[in-house]
Structures are given as structure tokens and as C-alpha cells.
Amino acid sequence: MTSRDNGPLAGTEKAISRVLRVGVTASLALVTAGTLLSFLRPGGYSDQPGEVARLIGNGGTFPRTAGWLIGGLLHLNGAAVIVAGLILLIATPVIRVAVSIVAFARERDRPFVVITAIVLGLLLLSLVLGKSG
Amino acid sequence: MTPLGFTLLALGISYFAGLLGSLVGVGGGIIVVPALTLLMGVSIQKAIAASIVSVIATSSGAAATYVSQRITNMRLGMILEVATVTGALTGAYLAALVPGRGLFLIFALVLTYTAWSMLRPGGRSISPVPDPLADRLRLHGSFFDRSLGAEVPYRVFRTKLGLAVSYVAGVASGLLGIGGGVFKVPVMNLAMGIPIKACTATSNFMIGVTAATSAAVYFMRGEVLPFVAAPVAVGVLLGARTGASLLGGTRNSTIRVIFVAVLAVSALKMFLEALK
């Protein structure tokens, strides 16, 4: 194989590929485990009439505070484990962008450090804006 | 329906969507959202939120492979990502303002466009023009094409047009919970001069970050329901994996016809839903 002109990134390709693969696998393992817990453990999904309507409902009461998440994880609450998996899934591309910034910085590629930093900034902004929106 | 019945049905439909999508080269979101809303009674906002999360999983999974095979043009991807991510923020914000019927209408239009784009002939590429921006940022690339057994170098043109289209694709992604590749890939291929394999890989690379942006907005808004998002994410990813292993990039015309038929029926039903 010939050498490539995208050389600066060549060493990074492996790291980026691994971040993506591990992130997706781990998050879906959590989501699957959380679903099983929700079915198997008390306090998860019930078989009462109207349960599905409640679970897909528009009540907007879905708890999403950090305290609820940590407490839920400690008690192996199925929904909390699923949410942890979903957060990891959303974080996976963010970590990928952060890894890219480090790679470009190491190559002293100023324009690309700025460009990737902007992408990271927008990603983090989406979390803040989502909260207020 | 019991929670178990819902979970298994959502898992099955998402698996089918991921499988069919990967066989014809689009993401599963375009089928998952109609299926969740029309067949399973999920509100369109919650269906879009579940779909966008599954888009992160499928695109990141595929991106891992493309990046390690060095087909992805990462420099170009990172430039265009600025536009797709900005678009995704816009789209996710608009989604909160547009009423459900409006979302059904826009989704039906995008379904119709997707069906049409799958039926039309390949299209002709526009002649190359000098692009100083692409030169300065060193966006030109090359990849090893295994079917040709040779390195394929290429030059990139019309970066600014690429940015504009990427913004539109990002808005569609954030608003509708789809990847948006159907908008980017034709322009990257025909106007920017990028070989189709590199287009697909690079578009896919961007979709993970794009979807993560809007997914974060939906998540913080409380629209991502664990009960719905869990079977959809797992199902679509497994379906896409099966599809990728079934046929390595070849295109089967029977599957395309089935896919277009599914899109057309979904578009029609979503139009009707918008008119209700």
C-alpha cells in the first residue's frame, strides 16, 4: 500500500475506530441489561392495563435528574440502567470529537484544532440548550 | 398490548428497518419513525427522539469499520460537521415549535423525496472547478478500493456548497430523527467530486456527531423514553449488522423495489395523518 497524504491522522484512525466500537457495544449492553431488569425486577414494567400507554405517554414526567440516575443505578433500577446506556451512546461521538482535537493538536494543525473545537463546543451547547428548551 | 408485547414488536420492526435500510444504503430512521407512529401509537415527537438515538448507534458502528479501513475522509468530515451539527441544533429546536401534524407533513415529503431519489438514474457529475478552500485545508483524499484492488485518489471541489447542503441535512436530521445522508451523498458525489464509497463512509462518519447533537437536545427535554428508545436502538443496530454481513455493498434491485414500496405507503399514510 502506498503512503497517504492524510498521514497526520493515520495513528488516530485506530483510536477513533476503537472509541466508536467500544462506545456502541457498551451502551447497547447497558440498554439490553436495563430492559431485562425492567421486566424481571419489581418496580419495573407491570402487566396492568394501561401500562404501555403510561410508558409511551406524553406526561413529560420522565425523571432525568442526576440524583434519580445515581440512585436508580445503585438499586439496579431498569430504567436508570437504560438511561445510563443512552447517555453513553450520546457521549460516544462526543468522545470521538475530543480524541480528534488531541490528534490535531499533536500535529500542530491549528485550523483543524479550531474546527474540531467548534464542533465540540456546539455538542456541549446542545446539552445546555436542550435543558432550557 | 403488554409491555413485553410492545418491546418485542418494537424490536422486530426496528430490526427489519435496520436490515432493509442497510441493504439499500440508507439508515433505519426513515422506516422506524413511520412504524412507531402509524403502527404502535407512539407520538411523532417521541418516535423521532427514539429514532435519533438509534441513528447514533448504527452510524457509529459502521463508522468504526469505515475509519479503520481508511475509506473515510476525516478532514472533510470534520469540516462539514460544523454545518451538520449547527443544522441539527436548528432542527431539534424547530421540532419543539412545529406541531405534530406539521412534522407528519414534512416527514411525508422527505419520504417521498427518498423514494424518488432511489428510483431515479444515477445522475451526472458536475464539472470540477478549482477550490482554494479545499486546497488550503488539504481536504483532498484517497482510499484503497478493494473491489478495484487499487488506491483511488480524488480532489474535492465546491466545499462551500457541501457546507450548505450539510446544514440542510443537519436540520432534517434534528427535526425528523433521520441521518440525513440522502441529502448529502448525492451532492458530495456529483458536485464535490468524491467517489461514492468515500461519500458514504464520510457522510456516515458525520451522522454520529450530528445525531448526538439533536439526541442531546431531545434527551434533556425528556423526549427520549427508555421504554421506546431501548428496543429501537438495539433492533436497528442488529438489523443493520445483519444487512452488512448479508451483502458487502452490492445492490439488489428486488430489495430496492420493496423498500421504495414501503417508503411510498409510509409517505401516503403520513400525509393522511397530517390532514386529520
Side-chain angles (χ1 to χ4, degrees), chain B residues 112-126:
Chain B
T112 310
Y113 165 78
T114 308
W116 172 76
S117 73
M118 303 206 70
L119 288 177
R120 81 181 153 182
R124 258 184 296 164
S125 27
I126 312 174

Side-chain angles (χ1 to χ4, degrees), chain B residues 147-180:
Chain B
S147 62
L148 296 175
E151 188 79 12
V152 181
Y154 57 91
R155 295 187 68 77
V156 174
F157 314 104
R158 299 189 177 89
T159 307
K160 283 178 187 158
L161 175 68
L163 283 167
V165 171
S166 296
Y167 177 77
V168 174
V171 173
S173 174
L175 185 61
L176 304 176
I178 60 176

Side-chain angles (χ1 to χ4, degrees), chain A residues 4 13 17 28 64 96 129, chain B residues 64 70 81 93 220 237:
Chain A
R4 291 149 194 283
E13 282 161 350
S17 182
L28 289 188
R64 51 199 155 92
R96 188 270 275 169
L129 287 178
Chain B
R70 296 182 159 189
E81 261 166 24
Y93 249 70
M220 296 307 276
L237 184 77

Side-chain angles (χ1 to χ4, degrees), chain A residues 5-61:
Chain A
D5 61 357
N6 62 346
L9 283 179
T12 320
E13 282 161 350
K14 215 175 255 179
I16 286 182
S17 182
R18 192 176 304 140
V19 164
L20 294 174
R21 212 181 300 271
V22 172
V24 170
T25 310
S27 61
L28 289 188
L30 281 172
V31 166
T32 307
T35 303
L36 292 176
L37 286 171
S38 297
F39 280 111
L40 299 175
R41 280 175 60 95
Y45 307 144
S46 80
D47 272 335
Q48 280 165 4
E51 175 75 349
V52 168
R54 186 183 71 80
L55 289 168
I56 64 171
N58 291 303
T61 52

Side-chain angles (χ1 to χ4, degrees), chain B residues 46-130:
Chain B
K46 303 286 193 282
I48 287 169
S51 172
I52 199 69
V53 170
S54 79
V55 168
I56 305 176
T58 36
S59 75
S60 298
T65 308
Y66 288 134
V67 167
S68 62
Q69 290 175 355
R70 296 182 159 189
I71 303 175
T72 312
N73 185 333
M74 290 207 285
R75 296 179 72 89
L76 177 66
M78 284 169 194
I79 294 283
L80 297 183
E81 261 166 24
V82 177
T84 62
V85 165
T86 313
L89 271 177
T90 316
Y93 249 70
L94 281 176
L97 305 175
V98 179
R101 298 165 91 197
L103 289 174
F104 271 110
L105 180 65
I106 301 167
F107 208 105
L109 292 172
V110 170
L111 280 167
T112 310
Y113 165 78
T114 308
W116 172 76
S117 73
M118 303 206 70
L119 288 177
R120 81 181 153 182
R124 258 184 296 164
S125 27
I126 312 174
S127 59
V129 286

